[in-house]
Amino acid sequence: MKFSILAFSVLFLFTVLPVNATFTWENNVTVGYDKVQWVYTETYTEGNTLIYKDYIDVSLGNQDGFISAWEILKTDVKARSTLQSSILGQMDVIVNNSSESVVLAGVSSSMSPELLGPVMQGEVITNLYTTNYHLENPFLGSGTNSISFIGEESTPLVINMPKGASLNSTEGIDNLSISNGEGVSKILGSFGPTGKATVHFHLDGVEDIVTSVPELAEMNVSGEFSVLNNENDHNFSLAERLLPALGMCNTESA
């Protein structure tokens, strides 16, 4: 089974789109010495836009063929709740082979303004989801470290490493390329077949937090958190992790 992480709208595609239907899903991760920020960008175009909006209208709205502000708000709340619950159930950031020191600090989203309007109005829709994590002791420090991300197979991935990090090797990243500038390494590629991307690196010294990482949003994160250190704990597909919780369909239909 592949490693996976959610976006609420990915769920729509599992439940209503044909197997060969596609949409754009991008991951941009910034690693700091004591925090991580992961920004997901998803884009719907053409027929996928209409299917996505129709799902919102039918399942979360009043089925009037029009997406209103309250329906967008309801979609936003549902998306953040589902993403938060998914991460609390299966942490998607692993530091030095353990998630024990990783704490989900906040989940936010920015829904596309193009959602507002008639369902049959097929504009490009771009939603942003942002997750912030604190790295508690033992956090990234001087010496050799590794950090892994559990993502969606074959989706584009950018990893911005902290200043002073010397890359040793990577695993699970296809179409890999690395750029360096002002002492900061940027890793570009896509999640491989396993859905798990790992970066092995060395820090010469711990400096102040990378300036490109905004302050973490304060958010009360509730729910039971399970520390997952065993690789077998991550062997759950996206559908198996999310569909039962949302009550949208059973996993066999995904």
Side-chain angles (χ1 to χ4, degrees):
M1 294 183 181
K2 65 183 180 181
F3 298 108
S4 298
I5 182 60
L6 118 68
F8 182 50
S9 26
V10 173
L11 209 46
F12 295 144
L13 300 187
F14 267 104
T15 56
V16 299
L17 290 185
V19 174
N20 61 350
T22 60
F23 71 116
T24 302
W25 174 254
E26 300 177 352
N27 310 270
N28 192 307
V29 181
T30 300
V31 180
Y33 301 112
D34 63 354
K35 62 184 71 175
V36 172
Q37 183 178 84
W38 189 332
V39 178
Y40 307 89
T41 303
E42 60 178 5
T43 303
Y44 295 89
T45 60
E46 300 177 348
N48 291 349
T49 295
L50 304 182
I51 294 174
Y52 178 45
K53 293 176 70 174
D54 184 65
Y55 184 90
I56 293 174
D57 185 43
V58 171
S59 298
L60 300 175
N62 57 3
Q63 305 179 42
D64 65 350
F66 187 92
I67 305 298
S68 61
W70 71 266
E71 289 169 318
I72 296 175
L73 176 61
K74 191 172 181 180
T75 302
D76 173 62
V77 171
K78 187 69 172 180
R80 287 186 286 108
S81 175
T82 304
L83 176 53
Q84 177 179 302
S85 297
S86 175
I87 296 172
L88 290 174
Q90 179 178 316
M91 181 56 66
D92 56 348
V93 176
I94 305 170
V95 176
N96 295 328
N97 299 313
S98 173
S99 294
E100 185 173 1
S101 63
V102 183
V103 177
L104 178 63
V107 177
S108 62
S109 59
S110 178
M111 308 303 290
S112 177
E114 283 72 27
L115 278 171
L116 187 67
V119 168
M120 297 309 294
Q121 184 173 301
E123 296 182 274
V124 175
I125 294 173
T126 301
N127 297 328
L128 297 177
Y129 302 89
T130 302
T131 55
N132 290 301
Y133 307 82
H134 280 302
L135 306 183
E136 298 185 337
N137 291 328
F139 54 82
L140 297 178
S142 298
T144 301
N145 294 274
S146 69
I147 188 164
S148 300
F149 307 99
I150 309 300
E152 192 65 28
E153 174 187 348
S154 300
T155 57
L157 172 65
V158 175
I159 303 174
N160 305 286
M161 297 300 293
K163 188 174 182 179
S166 300
L167 303 183
N168 295 331
S169 62
T170 64
E171 301 173 32
I173 302 176
D174 291 344
N175 305 312
L176 175 68
S177 66
I178 299 172
S179 64
N180 296 282
E182 299 182 355
V184 176
S185 296
K186 176 177 290 189
I187 301 169
L188 301 94
S190 60
F191 279 102
T194 65
K196 181 179 181 181
T198 301
V199 180
H200 300 275
F201 62 99
H202 183 89
L203 278 178
D204 295 329
V206 177
E207 303 178 15
D208 292 338
I209 186 66
V210 173
T211 56
S212 58
V213 181
E215 288 299 315
L216 297 177
E218 293 297 326
M219 179 174 290
N220 181 21
V221 180
S222 59
E224 183 178 354
F225 177 70
S226 176
V227 177
L228 304 176
N229 296 324
N230 191 307
E231 288 288 343
N232 292 329
D233 290 329
H234 297 287
N235 290 337
F236 298 99
S237 70
L238 179 65
E240 287 176 312
R241 289 172 57 193
L242 301 178
L243 298 185
L246 289 179
M248 293 170 62
C249 69
N250 59 47
T251 57
E252 294 180 354
S253 63

